[in-house]
Amino acid sequence: MSISDGQYAAWLANLNASRLLLAEMHHAGGIKYVATGPFMSLPSDSDANRPYDDCLETAVDITTRIDGQVTFGEVTLMDDGSITDWLFLAWQGHPIRLYLGSPKWARDDFRLLAQGRNGGIREARRGAITFRMDDESSVLDEPIDTGQLPDGAGPVPLALGSVYNAPLYRVDTQTLTYRGSFLPVTSITAKANGARLTHSTDMAGGTVTLTDKFGDITGDIEEQHNTPQQVVEWVAAHYGIAIGDVDLPAYRVGLYYNSEVSGRQILEELCNGLGAYWYLNEVNALVARQHKLPVTADVTIVGDDINYDRCRLTDTEPPWRRLTLRWGRNYSPLSNVAAVLDEEEPAEATRLRTEWRESRAEQDVSNYPLAERVTRDSVIQDETDAATERDRLLQLRSERREIWSIETSLSYVSAGQVVSVQHRRLEGRLGRLLVVGRSPTRENSNLEVWV
């Protein structure tokens, strides 16, 4: 009988349950199968009759953070001489997959706990070989290859969503063709000194072709990925990363890059002005959520769950007195604007000269004389959305916030969850888990809770 997700969650919550960790360690010539105890898959398993060498001595500690980082510890194998020749295998850069379950279960009932990359052998000594395990988020540091503009003008620009007044680059002198986007677009409105021009548009190629010569050309670009979720999905698809939980508002957004850019940079710029966070979870799926006030607890931590004297305040964050949220970025502010715009569209002329539009508000935090005045840049494109997000962020920081470090016997919590801490120092307050560090086979978890 297969183990359901509900049964697996209940098993995780049982602190007295026996746990077995399986590791599949890939190398250039194949896979080595090891475990923390004796194990062989059943004839009915998808990988039938697979023996696992019970030489896995130390399991990695996994630390998941909502700031985009997952860190792993080490994998140590006991070497009684039978695996000494493994030293000569090509391990570095190949996958390590960890599966957790009960020694009594079929192999197919184990769940993938974590996957990462082998960082190579860190140490080899009598009786042990130790490997470093790295997370896979480094793939997001690879620059996105958009191709090159002619005459060494740099990368082809990358436009995502709704982009206002971005530079257009000439790519064909014979036909006066200008390019604004690496990706296909739904529209481009080309302008000279802010005044709209007559042109044809190649939406698939992200180009416009003018009917006459002008100086520097800019354009308003519309590309289909114009919500935060769609941007996250595009980044994940570009890097071949699975999508996990995405909980972001449906604001209209725009991002534009005319220099080298990576997926990590895009995700960080997207999340920065939305009060959001992202990370790759333990199984390498991309998670992106908005940081919200905790309302309902996902997990309750009671006093008996907390190790003795392991609940302490580690940091405090003052409230915000004022927030200035920048939005509607002008990607090419103009010093000279067409005279017709000053006469007929003065508001547009002013916007063309200004890099950012601003949404500003204050709140009463008189109990905190050192409350902060904060300015945030965002990729939001609509005034109403900017005001909504401004007010939401102010409410989020309307009082002092605290970060607590807790060492608990719970092993089934995850980053981003809401916890209720039933401890005299916190009095049942709700908080969000910023950091979860745990060992797969031990019950203790080290938590950082934002309350």
Side-chain angles (χ1 to χ4, degrees):
M1 178 178 176
S2 62
I3 304 297
S4 69
D5 290 343
Q7 290 172 321
Y8 188 83
W11 174 80
L12 279 178
N14 181 2
L15 301 183
N16 295 318
S18 298
R19 307 189 194 281
L20 183 71
L21 186 70
L22 310 179
E24 297 180 358
M25 301 182 63
H26 295 241
H27 57 89
I31 307 173
K32 297 297 184 183
Y33 298 84
V34 296
T36 52
F39 186 78
M40 177 178 284
S41 65
L42 300 177
S44 58
D45 281 319
S46 56
D47 185 14
N49 302 315
R50 168 70 64 188
Y52 284 75
D53 192 330
D54 61 340
C55 65
L56 181 56
E57 179 180 21
T58 303
V60 299
D61 291 322
I62 304 167
T63 301
T64 307
R65 308 172 56 92
I66 67 170
D67 59 3
Q69 300 292 328
V70 174
T71 58
F72 297 107
E74 297 172 339
V75 175
T76 298
L77 306 181
M78 294 180 290
D79 181 15
D80 59 3
S82 62
I83 65 169
T84 303
D85 59 336
W86 290 12
L87 289 171
F88 308 106
L89 300 176
W91 300 100
Q92 193 166 11
H94 292 278
I96 297 177
R97 294 189 175 92
L98 304 177
Y99 297 85
L100 186 65
S102 168
K104 300 178 181 180
W105 291 354
R107 169 64 183 84
D108 288 348
D109 287 329
F110 281 66
R111 299 296 199 270
L112 179 64
L113 175 75
Q115 69 179 38
R117 294 285 169 176
N118 197 317
I121 297 174
R122 192 192 67 77
E123 181 184 42
R125 54 182 172 81
R126 184 177 181 180
I129 303 173
T130 299
F131 300 84
R132 188 177 73 248
M133 186 171 172
D134 299 330
D135 78 289
E136 300 202 25
S137 68
S138 58
V139 67
L140 289 163
D141 294 317
E142 289 294 318
I144 296 169
D145 184 8
T146 61
Q148 293 291 312
L149 295 166
D151 303 321
V156 173
L158 173 62
L160 290 164
S162 301
V163 176
Y164 178 74
N165 202 46
L168 304 184
Y169 295 90
R170 194 166 181 172
V171 294
D172 191 324
T173 56
Q174 296 294 320
T175 60
L176 299 177
T177 298
Y178 291 75
R179 190 163 190 183
S181 175
F182 160 67
L183 296 174
V185 300
T186 57
S187 71
I188 298 180
T189 301
K191 302 179 290 188
N193 294 333
R196 298 172 183 81
L197 301 174
T198 300
H199 59 81
S200 60
T201 304
D202 176 3
M203 292 188 291
T207 64
V208 297
T209 300
L210 308 183
T211 58
D212 203 352
K213 289 185 178 181
F214 297 90
D216 293 337
I217 305 299
T218 62
D220 300 336
I221 302 170
E222 292 291 336
E223 189 275 336
Q224 63 176 331
H225 301 94
N226 67 350
T227 67
Q229 177 159 340
Q230 289 173 329
V231 172
V232 170
E233 290 171 348
W234 182 85
V235 171
H238 180 82
Y239 287 93
I241 295 172
I243 288 286
D245 180 30
V246 178
D247 181 16
L248 298 172
Y251 300 152
R252 189 170 66 98
V253 299
L255 303 94
Y256 175 84
Y257 305 94
N258 56 1
S259 59
E260 190 175 87
V261 66
S262 68
R264 185 184 298 275
Q265 289 172 272
I266 293 173
L267 292 173
E268 289 179 353
E269 184 176 1
L270 174 72
C271 290
N272 183 57
L274 298 178
Y277 58 90
W278 71 272
Y279 62 93
L280 295 188
N281 64 20
E282 298 94 328
V283 295
N284 202 35
L286 180 56
V287 174
R289 305 188 188 104
Q290 205 168 34
H291 194 42
K292 299 177 181 178
L293 283 174
V295 176
T296 304
D298 301 310
V299 179
T300 297
I301 301 175
V302 299
D304 289 344
D305 296 325
I306 300 173
N307 295 342
Y308 178 73
D309 200 28
R310 289 295 186 269
C311 179
R312 59 191 179 92
L313 177 65
T314 59
D315 197 10
T316 59
E317 300 172 346
W320 292 355
R321 183 182 308 279
R322 181 177 69 197
L323 173 62
T324 300
L325 187 67
R326 293 174 171 172
W327 62 280
R329 184 177 181 182
N330 176 358
Y331 282 92
S332 185
L334 304 177
S335 55
N336 296 313
V337 176
V340 66
L341 292 176
D342 278 321
E343 296 173 3
E344 299 179 3
E345 300 180 63
E348 178 69 8
T350 299
R351 187 181 181 191
L352 286 164
R353 293 186 175 98
T354 307
E355 182 177 6
W356 291 99
R357 307 175 90 174
E358 295 184 345
S359 184
R360 182 181 292 110
E362 297 190 12
Q363 60 186 352
D364 180 15
V365 286
S366 53
N367 289 337
Y368 300 91
L370 297 181
E372 298 179 331
R373 294 172 175 84
V374 176
T375 298
R376 287 278 180 90
D377 296 343
S378 79
V379 297
I380 295 172
Q381 297 302 308
D382 291 336
E383 183 175 11
T384 301
D385 291 341
T388 298
E389 185 58 30
R390 176 204 68 200
D391 293 342
R392 192 192 75 84
L393 290 172
L394 276 174
Q395 176 62 26
L396 195 68
R397 303 301 294 269
S398 61
E399 59 186 71
R400 187 186 78 174
R401 299 299 176 184
E402 302 167 354
I403 297 177
W404 288 78
S405 175
I406 300 174
E407 184 180 300
T408 173
S409 57
L410 299 180
S411 61
Y412 55 92
V413 295
S414 59
Q417 282 187 315
V418 175
V419 296
S420 172
V421 184
Q422 304 295 327
H423 187 279
R424 59 188 176 83
R425 292 177 185 162
L426 286 164
E427 299 178 344
R429 293 164 67 188
L430 293 179
R432 189 170 302 281
L433 291 174
L434 302 180
V435 178
V436 175
R438 66 178 184 269
S439 170
T441 53
R442 297 194 302 269
E443 284 73 30
N444 285 350
S445 294
N446 295 307
L447 313 177
E448 287 188 15
V449 184
W450 183 91
V451 296

